[in-house]
Amino acid sequence: MNFSLYIAKRYVRSKSKQTAVNIINAVTFWVIVIGAAALFIVLSGFAGLKDFSLSYTNSFDPDLKALPKIGKSFSISESQKTALKKLDGIVAFSNELEDRVYLSHKQKDHIAFIKGVDQNYTEVIAMDSTLYLGDWFNEQQVVTGIGIANLLGLSINSYRSPLELLVPKPGTTSLTQQGPNAKFFNTFPVVLSGVYAVEAELDNKYVFADLALVQALLEKDSSQISGINFKYAQNVEVSQVRNDIQKIFNNAIILKDRKELNSTLYKMLNTENMATYLIFTLVLIIALFNVVGAFIMMILDQQGNSKTLYSLGATIKELRRIYFVQGVIVTFFGGFIGVLIGSLLIWSQLAFEWLKISANLAYPVAYQWINVLIVLGTITVLGIIASKIASSRINKGLLA
């Protein structure tokens, strides 16, 4: 193998006497470089878009969330709260109660989700950092998304024109049995204290209010909640914490982390990333035919040297190995230079933000070592296949 490697490295450094062959070799090399750079840039762009899309979930979803196994709510006792406070792997936790709500304001209406949270909520989820206007709520105040505020024409701290919250009254009695003067909805007037802005869908979806207010609105007692949000401590053993929480609730809850809460979004982003990788790999495979042709041209150009080596005792297997190693070296270094060029472009985007989606938003990219390995691995594998195909052209007929 040392003999084959030595000759292959000399062939890589040498130039052909024929200008056309040198041009073909140069074009083939830069095809590999450009293909590797393009694949790396696209993967880095999708990695940035993935991080950008998932950044929205950090404003709404905790590290870990407890949900009821059956129904929409479950009870938490004081002893269970005390046990949760003693857990080493949990920095803070917050109870919440969520349900649909009908919003009405000045003959405008909208259906959203009301989320009642306690005073620990902002310690678990940095929701207050997403406020676009106003402040986080106090008693008998709410915070809505900017989409809801615009739809209903809401103003901050407008006590003369409060927002009406309406939810159907719970019960098993039919509407006809309740009489013509019965009230079918629990209503509660509230004042808007702040507006958050994260993403269009979320901005039209949630209303945040005090937990006690929502429990009263839904006619729930103080122990009834629909979820518990947890924030992990640093360097925590996640599996152990999850087991400890399940023991406290006797396995009566479901625990989901941020990825499990947004499983559909994660699957969609991963599928898009895989589809893009396969499409660009297909382009590289098509370019592989040019690489095979160029390698065969190199073999024909070095035909005289091959005959000399064969006459001196080199076997056909060794000659094939020389051109195989030569092809692998060319494709690997082409891929390496392509990744280096792509890395410089990605780093420049991260540093200078020269490519922008809007005036205030740079195109998101992310530099990940896994993408470096993926591109180099893809180029190397394709180079091995191309070199194998081309080197198989060496036979006794060519050396005769």
Side-chain angles (χ1 to χ4, degrees):
M1 187 64 186
N2 291 334
F3 166 73
S4 301
L5 180 61
Y6 175 76
I7 300 298
K9 288 193 293 185
R10 289 184 63 87
Y11 280 176
V12 170
R13 292 194 297 265
S14 65
K15 289 186 177 181
S16 173
K17 296 179 181 180
Q18 300 184 34
T19 305
V21 174
N22 290 329
I23 293 174
I24 292 172
N25 292 341
V27 170
T28 301
F29 180 78
W30 282 106
V31 165
I32 298 171
V33 171
I34 294 172
L39 179 58
F40 180 76
I41 291 170
V42 169
L43 291 179
S44 299
F46 264 88
L49 287 173
K50 182 178 180 179
D51 292 343
F52 183 72
S53 300
L54 295 178
S55 65
Y56 294 132
T57 66
N58 296 335
S59 301
F60 277 82
D61 298 318
D63 295 335
L64 186 68
K65 189 167 188 174
L67 298 168
K69 269 190 176 180
I70 302 173
K72 298 169 64 176
S73 63
F74 62 98
S75 297
I76 180 171
S77 64
E78 291 299 324
S79 61
Q80 289 172 328
K81 290 181 183 179
T82 303
L84 290 176
K85 291 177 182 178
K86 293 179 179 179
L87 288 178
D88 293 332
I90 298 297
V91 175
F93 70 92
S94 171
N95 299 326
E96 69 172 42
L97 181 61
E98 180 180 328
D99 208 337
R100 284 184 176 272
V101 65
Y102 184 85
L103 308 175
S104 179
H105 180 255
K106 291 184 177 179
Q107 298 182 345
K108 297 178 182 178
D109 50 65
H110 180 67
I111 296 176
F113 285 86
I114 189 166
K115 184 175 287 195
V117 296
D118 58 22
Q119 67 274 13
N120 297 329
Y121 188 74
T122 52
E123 297 179 15
V124 179
I125 303 174
M127 187 63 203
D128 52 345
S129 64
T130 66
L131 289 180
Y132 182 73
L133 292 172
D135 302 305
W136 194 243
F137 63 81
N138 294 314
E139 292 183 4
Q140 295 188 352
Q141 291 181 326
V142 296
V143 170
T144 71
I146 191 169
I148 294 176
N150 290 334
L151 283 171
L152 301 180
L154 298 174
S155 300
I156 293 177
N157 296 327
S158 179
Y159 289 90
R160 293 186 177 181
S161 179
L163 171 66
E164 290 284 338
L165 305 177
L166 297 93
V167 297
K169 283 188 173 184
T172 57
T173 307
S174 66
L175 297 179
T176 56
Q177 292 176 332
Q178 295 185 26
N181 297 321
K183 293 184 177 180
F184 304 122
F185 292 90
N186 290 329
T187 62
F188 202 96
V190 292
V191 176
L192 183 68
S193 66
V195 173
Y196 70 83
V198 178
E199 185 265 336
E201 182 180 354
L202 296 175
D203 292 346
N204 289 312
K205 186 174 182 180
Y206 286 106
V207 176
F208 290 88
D210 182 66
L211 177 59
L213 184 152
V214 177
Q215 286 172 333
L217 184 66
L218 299 175
E219 296 186 12
K220 304 284 188 182
D221 60 54
S222 59
S223 66
Q224 290 289 308
I225 56 175
S226 62
I228 308 175
N229 303 295
F230 297 97
K231 183 177 181 180
Y232 287 139
Q234 292 184 350
N235 302 320
V236 65
E237 189 176 345
V238 174
S239 59
Q240 182 61 46
V241 173
R242 294 179 72 132
N243 290 335
D244 292 341
I245 295 173
Q246 287 286 13
K247 289 178 182 177
I248 293 173
F249 289 93
N250 297 319
N251 295 317
I253 58 171
I254 299 173
L255 292 175
K256 291 186 177 182
D257 58 22
R258 187 175 288 118
K259 185 175 181 179
E260 291 168 333
L261 289 169
N262 299 279
S263 58
T264 302
L265 178 60
Y266 273 86
K267 288 178 182 178
M268 180 189 70
L269 293 173
N270 290 334
T271 302
E272 289 179 351
N273 195 20
M274 178 59 69
T276 303
Y277 168 74
L278 292 176
I279 291 171
F280 267 80
T281 302
L282 178 61
V283 173
L284 290 176
I285 291 173
I286 294 172
L288 174 70
F289 293 105
N290 293 329
V291 176
V292 172
F295 287 168
I296 292 174
M297 289 291 294
M298 282 190 263
I299 292 171
L300 295 176
D301 183 59
Q302 300 290 344
Q303 186 176 6
N305 293 334
S306 299
K307 289 181 179 180
T308 302
L309 291 173
Y310 185 67
S311 300
L312 291 173
T315 64
I316 292 178
K317 184 178 180 181
E318 287 176 329
L319 292 175
R320 286 177 176 175
R321 189 179 298 166
I322 289 171
Y323 292 107
F324 173 77
V325 173
Q326 180 187 2
V328 172
I329 291 173
V330 170
T331 52
F332 179 79
F333 276 97
F336 179 79
I337 294 173
V339 170
L340 184 61
I341 293 172
S343 298
L344 292 174
L345 291 173
I346 296 301
W347 285 333
S348 68
Q349 173 66 8
L350 291 171
F352 305 109
E353 298 182 346
W354 48 271
L355 181 62
K356 292 184 177 293
I357 298 176
S358 64
N360 299 320
L361 181 62
Y363 193 93
V365 294
Y367 191 91
Q368 297 178 349
W369 287 106
I370 185 64
N371 289 335
V372 174
L373 297 177
I374 288 173
V375 174
L376 289 178
T378 302
I379 293 296
T380 302
V381 170
L382 294 179
I384 289 173
I385 295 173
S387 302
K388 191 69 176 177
I389 294 172
S391 63
S392 65
R393 302 286 297 178
I394 301 292
N395 51 46
K396 289 184 178 181
L398 185 68
L399 303 173

